[in-house]
Each structure stands twice: as C-alpha cells, then as structure tokens.
Amino acid sequence: MSWYSGVLDLILERTNSGVLGVVSFTEAIIQPLPPDLVYLPMLYDAMDNKPLVFWYFVVVTITSVAGSYVGYLLGKRWGRQLLDRFAKPKHVAKLEALTTKYGTIGIFIAAVSPIPYKVFAWVAGMGEMDKRSFIVAGLFGRGLRFGMEALLIGIYGKTALDAMHTFL
C-alpha cells in the first residue's frame, strides 16, 4: 500500500464537508490528492439528497478557488525564487509563456482539466496576472468541472463514479 492510498483511506473514513473543504483548499496550493477522490464518493452517497449535493458542490468549488488564490499569492511572493531553484529554466520560460499567451483562458482550462491547477495558480501570481480575471476564471472552470461531476453522478450513479475514477 502506498502512502497515497493510506492517506486517502484515512480521509475517506472521516469524510464530511469540512474534510472536503480542507482537501480541496490544500490541493489547490500544494498537496497532490485531487479533491475529486473525496468529492465523488460523497456525491454518490448523497445522490438522493439534492440540497446536500449542491452544498458539496459549493464547498469544493469555493475552497478550491480560495486555495488557488493562496497559491497565486505565494507565487507572487516566492514563485520566481522557487522555480529558479527547483525547475529548469526552459520549463520556467515555457510556463511563463503559456500564462502570458493564454492568461484567463489558460487558468480556466487548468481549472476544468486534470492539468495541475496549483502550478498555474503559482505562475499566474508570479506573472502578476489580474486577480479578478484569475478568480473569475477559476470559479467558472472549477464550477464547470465539479458541476459536471455532480450532474453525471446524479444521472448515471455508480457507472459514472467508476468511469471517473479511471481518470484520476
């Protein structure tokens, strides 16, 4: 059993909206466990309780965007120093070029997709991207991602849950 599985098992044993919020918030800054691993089983368990499903959606979306904003601020303050120290210059240049070229749409794509959102949050802060555009793109992107997951589980149930776990 890997450390990853052990941590996930521990989290899933204590699952509630507070745990979901903490996992979502911290994932958007630095930790590697995607909130979907906690969010999806919670959605499945709450399928018959629409207000609870909506609450989980709100919690995971808002805490993820709040966490990414912390990542943005960290990137603004220490991003350049950390990337210069731990990343190859060509990778730093490529990330900066992508953020400059795609800006808000790049943040939206990172928020919707399995691309590490936290990396783009740090780089957006490092590049001093407009805060409002960053937050709006994150809200729309994360809202779409987590909303689609809730919708698919609501419609297809366990089949959708199993399918989504193959991509995580």
Side-chain angles (χ1 to χ4, degrees), residues 117-138:
Y117 183 41
K118 65 185 110 325
V119 173
F120 281 85
W122 280 67
V123 173
M126 192 175 74
E128 299 191 21
M129 180 181 179
D130 176 64
K131 288 178 202 173
R132 181 173 291 150
S133 298
F134 173 79
I135 291 170
V136 168

Side-chain angles (χ1 to χ4, degrees), residues 1 17 24 28 43 63 65 70 74-75 93 95 105 118 122 130 132-133 140 144 157-158:
M1 179 166 84
S17 56
S24 179
L43 287 177
T63 57
V65 174
V70 171
L74 291 170
L95 281 170
I105 194 72
K118 65 185 110 325
W122 280 67
D130 176 64
R132 181 173 291 150
S133 298
F140 278 105
L144 180 62
K158 181 117 173 75

Side-chain angles (χ1 to χ4, degrees), residues 21-157:
V22 168
V23 170
S24 179
F25 182 84
T26 57
E27 183 274 337
I29 302 168
I30 195 151
Q31 67 90 356
L33 291 172
D36 312 71
L37 294 175
V38 177
Y39 177 59
L40 295 175
M42 289 176 72
L43 287 177
Y44 181 73
D45 289 343
M47 272 184 5
D48 297 327
N49 185 344
K50 302 303 182 216
L52 186 58
V53 167
F54 182 72
W55 172 246
Y56 289 157
F57 163 75
V58 169
V59 168
V60 75
T61 302
I62 297 299
T63 57
S64 180
V65 174
S68 72
Y69 183 64
V70 171
Y72 173 96
L73 294 173
L74 291 170
K76 187 172 183 173
R77 174 66 177 97
W78 293 293
R80 169 58 65 188
Q81 295 164 303
L82 290 171
L83 281 177
D84 286 347
R85 183 172 180 187
F86 295 109
K88 293 181 180 179
K90 70 178 183 177
H91 294 130
V92 174
K94 190 170 188 173
L95 281 170
E96 287 177 323
L98 285 171
T99 305
T100 301
K101 183 175 181 180
Y102 296 106
T104 304
I105 194 72
I107 297 300
F108 173 80
I109 290 168
V112 171
S113 72
I115 295 170
Y117 183 41
K118 65 185 110 325
V119 173
F120 281 85
W122 280 67
V123 173
M126 192 175 74
E128 299 191 21
M129 180 181 179
D130 176 64
K131 288 178 202 173
R132 181 173 291 150
S133 298
F134 173 79
I135 291 170
V136 168
L139 283 171
F140 278 105
R142 285 305 202 182
L144 180 62
R145 174 181 173 164
F146 297 131
M148 288 300 296
E149 290 173 346
L151 187 63
L152 290 171
I153 287 178
I155 294 170
Y156 298 107

